[in-house]
């Protein structure tokens, strides 16, 4: 199985577990004399099975990510790098949006508002960093589709 398929299965299992949680909550209590719409014991057994599968799959994905080298670095390190870059770039985009917001003055006596950074230069840096992030993400995606998932 390819790593990409394992990632897809992980997502499906996580969604299944969320659904089981909702179904369990819906069937946790009933009026005296009534029966729940679904048997909670069966739902709990299914939850146990799904959680076991997910734990195994996440372990295999993590071991594969640690053992797989991309551009001379462990795939797990590149994933951490990508996640941090995404967060940093989002903050910088919001900062630049605020810094480039122009305040109009209606009279000469109004306070003049100016940017605290060179927006044009910082935007060029942000564009370059965004391109580097896209290239990193492409390398990660390529590895996901070409790397075999490690066995248990």
């Amino acid at each position: 199985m390819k790593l990409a398929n394992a990632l897809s299965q992980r997502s499906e299992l996580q969604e299944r577990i969320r659904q089981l949680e909702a179904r369990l909550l819906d069937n946790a209590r009933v009026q005296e004399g009534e029966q729940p719409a679904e048997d909670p014991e069966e739902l709990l057994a299914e939850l146990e099975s799904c959680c076991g599968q997910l734990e195994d799959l996440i372990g295999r994905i993590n071991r594969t990510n640690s053992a797989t080298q991309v551009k001379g670095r462990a795939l797990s390190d590149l994933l951490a790098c990508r996640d941090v870059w995404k967060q940093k770039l989002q903050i910088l985009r919001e900062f630049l949006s605020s810094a480039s917001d122009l305040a109009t003055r209606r009279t000469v006596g109004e306070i003049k508002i100016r940017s605290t950074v060179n927006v044009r230069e910082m935007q060029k840096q942000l564009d370059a960093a965004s391109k580097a992030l896209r290239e990193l993400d492409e390398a990660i995606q390529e590895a996901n589709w070409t790397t075999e998932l490690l066995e248990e």
Side-chain angles (χ1 to χ4, degrees), residues 92-106:
L92 291 175
R93 283 186 192 102
E94 290 175 19
F95 172 71
L96 279 179
S97 176
S98 181
S100 61
D101 214 9
L102 298 175
T104 57
R105 293 180 3 182
R106 292 185 183 88

Side-chain angles (χ1 to χ4, degrees), residues 13-27:
L13 278 169
Q14 289 169 329
E15 178 60 29
R16 182 78 178 143
I17 289 169
R18 282 190 292 275
Q19 291 171 354
L20 285 168
E21 176 187 19
R23 290 166 58 197
L24 276 164
L25 292 174
D26 288 344
N27 291 281

Side-chain angles (χ1 to χ4, degrees), residues 1 4-5 28 49 62 104 109 127 149:
M1 169 186 340
N5 299 105
S49 173
N62 289 345
T104 57
D127 290 344
L149 188 67

Side-chain angles (χ1 to χ4, degrees), residues 1-15:
M1 169 186 340
K2 298 291 184 194
L3 183 55
N5 299 105
L7 295 171
S8 178
Q9 281 185 3
R10 178 186 68 184
S11 178
E12 289 172 13
L13 278 169
Q14 289 169 329
E15 178 60 29

Side-chain angles (χ1 to χ4, degrees), residues 87-97 122 126:
Q87 183 179 18
K88 179 182 174 184
L89 290 176
Q90 180 59 37
I91 292 168
L92 291 175
R93 283 186 192 102
E94 290 175 19
F95 172 71
L96 279 179
S97 176
M122 199 164 183
L126 183 60

Side-chain angles (χ1 to χ4, degrees), residues 19-61:
Q19 291 171 354
L20 285 168
E21 176 187 19
R23 290 166 58 197
L24 276 164
L25 292 174
D26 288 344
N27 291 281
R29 297 175 12 156
V30 293
Q31 182 176 330
E32 188 175 338
E34 297 292 323
Q35 294 295 318
E38 294 184 84
D39 182 0
E41 294 300 324
E42 289 178 16
L43 294 174
L44 288 167
E46 187 175 351
L47 176 66
E48 186 68 29
S49 173
C50 287
C51 286
Q53 291 173 47
L54 182 60
E55 181 180 343
D56 175 62
L57 191 58
I58 289 172
R60 291 175 63 199
I61 289 168

